[in-house]
Amino acid sequence: MRVLIVDNEIYLAGSIATKLADIGYECDIARNVKEALKDEKYDVVLLSTTLSGQDFYPVIEKHKGSIIILLIAYISNDTVSKPMLAGASDYIQKPFMIEELVRKINHLSEHKNMQNMLVAYQTYIQNALKCYKTQDIDPKKLKFPLLIKTNKTEYADSFVFELTKQTKGSFKYIIAQNLTQTQKELISSECEYIYISEAQNLNQNEIEKLLSLSQRKKLILSSTNFNLNIKTESIEILANESHFSIDEIATIDDYIKHIINMYQDKYPDTELSKRLGISRKSLWEKRKKYEITKKK
């Protein structure tokens, strides 16, 4: 991990660099703002707020992608509040133990990694569910526990992700494999929402037992079993179009419809009909049959 120490107290900066180097950090020292603005990237920047006569905000802007820990002599708006609003990550007051500094670095590094992973997961989920649009959701009108009956589990998933996004609520995602494990996860969860997916793996009595355990929790269940007759709020979400994955067997019509929808904006009709093994006239007839409109 590369660390830049920006401090005009050379003895202190050197001492910090030596102690960090002893535990595996690679350290550079900048004695002023100009030296700190060199075009190099660092994982961590230790920035003194007592650089006499120097504006240290350009350092924060330059290294805004790094973990920035302020080295302060005292706490004030100028040494802590304003720099942190500008993008600094945290602060530590001089004098400090090197162990305390390392703890802060490790904590902030883990937090940054978790944020990056969260963004990656959110992007993946949005892309994975983008084909499964549901009706508009009004959280104020929903009553819990709620049973979603759907012919495609991904539609229920999309509904729950959109709901929690709108309400900014946390939720526990549980796949119903057996009653014992499912109720254990239900009882232990402290999240605002609890989503039990694939409830068709449980029988009606088992589902009713889960409902009795939900108490005041906002419980949502999804099931592809439309024959469930449970005394709770329920909605149905049906697929408007046929979406299928590689592990499913689709009909020829479903396959052709899927290919036309997916690729008609990427290939001209001549190429698309050739790849499907049909004539351009047949392609036009398929569009008419499936009510597919080609974008202009």
Side-chain angles (χ1 to χ4, degrees), residues 149 204 223-230:
K149 296 180 181 180
Q204 187 153 324
S223 175
T224 56
N225 180 6
F226 282 80
N227 295 320
L228 275 177
N229 186 21
I230 298 174

Side-chain angles (χ1 to χ4, degrees), residues 53 90 273:
D90 202 349
S273 59

Side-chain angles (χ1 to χ4, degrees), residues 215-259:
Q215 299 175 349
R216 296 184 179 181
K217 296 179 179 179
K218 294 180 179 179
L219 176 64
I220 305 173
L221 302 100
S222 70
S223 175
T224 56
N225 180 6
F226 282 80
N227 295 320
L228 275 177
N229 186 21
I230 298 174
K231 294 180 180 179
T232 186
E233 291 291 321
S234 66
I235 59 174
E236 292 186 2
I237 303 178
L238 300 176
N240 294 322
E241 297 180 0
S242 178
H243 298 286
F244 52 88
S245 59
I246 198 168
D247 59 349
E248 298 176 353
I249 298 176
T251 65
I252 297 298
D253 275 354
D254 284 343
Y255 175 76
I256 293 176
K257 183 180 180 182
H258 174 75
I259 294 299

Side-chain angles (χ1 to χ4, degrees), residues 10-271:
I10 301 303
Y11 176 79
L12 175 61
S15 175
I16 295 171
T18 299
K19 291 175 181 177
L20 290 179
D22 287 342
I23 54 178
Y25 290 83
E26 180 184 341
C27 300
D28 290 333
I29 296 174
R31 294 169 294 179
N32 51 56
V33 169
K34 184 178 180 180
E35 291 181 6
L37 296 179
K38 291 181 180 178
D39 194 20
E40 293 191 45
K41 293 185 178 180
Y42 294 90
D43 302 298
V44 180
V45 175
L46 306 179
L47 174 61
S48 173
T49 57
T50 54
L51 298 171
S52 55
Q54 299 182 64
D55 179 8
F56 57 77
Y57 284 93
V59 179
I60 296 176
E61 177 63 25
K62 170 69 177 179
H63 299 284
K64 58 185 177 182
S66 305
I67 294 168
I68 301 175
I69 299 177
L70 305 169
L71 308 180
I72 67 169
Y74 55 91
I75 298 175
S76 71
N77 284 335
D78 291 333
T79 62
V80 176
S81 300
K82 291 180 181 179
M84 289 192 69
L85 284 174
S89 310
D90 202 349
Y91 68 91
I92 190 168
Q93 191 168 4
K94 304 175 185 177
F96 53 83
M97 301 290 290
I98 199 68
E99 291 79 10
E100 182 184 0
L101 176 62
V102 171
R103 182 187 61 78
K104 283 183 177 286
I105 291 174
N106 289 338
H107 173 74
L108 292 167
S109 181
E110 289 175 5
H111 181 261
K112 184 179 179 180
N113 288 338
M114 289 181 67
Q115 284 185 314
N116 291 336
M117 289 178 66
L118 179 60
V119 171
Y121 290 148
Q122 289 176 330
T123 302
Y124 174 80
I125 290 168
Q126 288 171 358
N127 284 318
L129 297 178
K130 66 181 179 181
C131 294
Y132 304 98
K133 301 290 185 181
T134 60
Q135 69 266 35
D136 293 336
I137 301 171
D138 186 350
K140 295 180 181 179
K141 293 182 178 180
L142 295 177
K143 295 181 180 180
F144 302 93
L146 175 66
L147 172 63
I148 302 175
K149 296 180 181 180
T150 180
N151 55 349
K152 197 77 174 176
T153 302
E154 286 84 353
Y155 281 95
D157 295 346
S158 180
F159 180 94
V160 174
F161 277 107
E162 182 60 28
L163 169 64
T164 53
K165 179 181 177 182
Q166 285 188 27
T167 59
K168 297 182 180 179
S170 62
F171 78 98
K172 172 79 173 180
Y173 177 70
I174 304 170
I175 297 179
Q177 296 178 338
N178 59 71
L179 178 61
T180 302
Q181 183 61 31
T182 303
Q183 66 183 6
K184 181 180 178 181
E185 293 190 56
L186 169 60
I187 294 170
S188 64
S189 176
E190 297 181 357
C191 294
E192 181 180 357
Y193 296 92
I194 299 172
Y195 173 42
I196 300 178
S197 177
E198 301 183 29
Q200 68 271 8
N201 295 330
L202 305 174
N203 62 45
Q204 187 153 324
N205 289 334
E206 289 174 328
I207 293 175
E208 289 176 346
K209 186 169 184 178
L210 291 177
L211 292 174
S212 69
L213 293 172
S214 64
Q215 299 175 349
R216 296 184 179 181
K217 296 179 179 179
K218 294 180 179 179
L219 176 64
I220 305 173
L221 302 100
S222 70
S223 175
T224 56
N225 180 6
F226 282 80
N227 295 320
L228 275 177
N229 186 21
I230 298 174
K231 294 180 180 179
T232 186
E233 291 291 321
S234 66
I235 59 174
E236 292 186 2
I237 303 178
L238 300 176
N240 294 322
E241 297 180 0
S242 178
H243 298 286
F244 52 88
S245 59
I246 198 168
D247 59 349
E248 298 176 353
I249 298 176
T251 65
I252 297 298
D253 275 354
D254 284 343
Y255 175 76
I256 293 176
K257 183 180 180 182
H258 174 75
I259 294 299
I260 293 174
N261 271 314
M262 287 291 293
Y263 297 103
Q264 67 174 350
D265 296 324
K266 297 182 180 179
Y267 298 107
D269 284 359
T270 304
E271 179 66 19

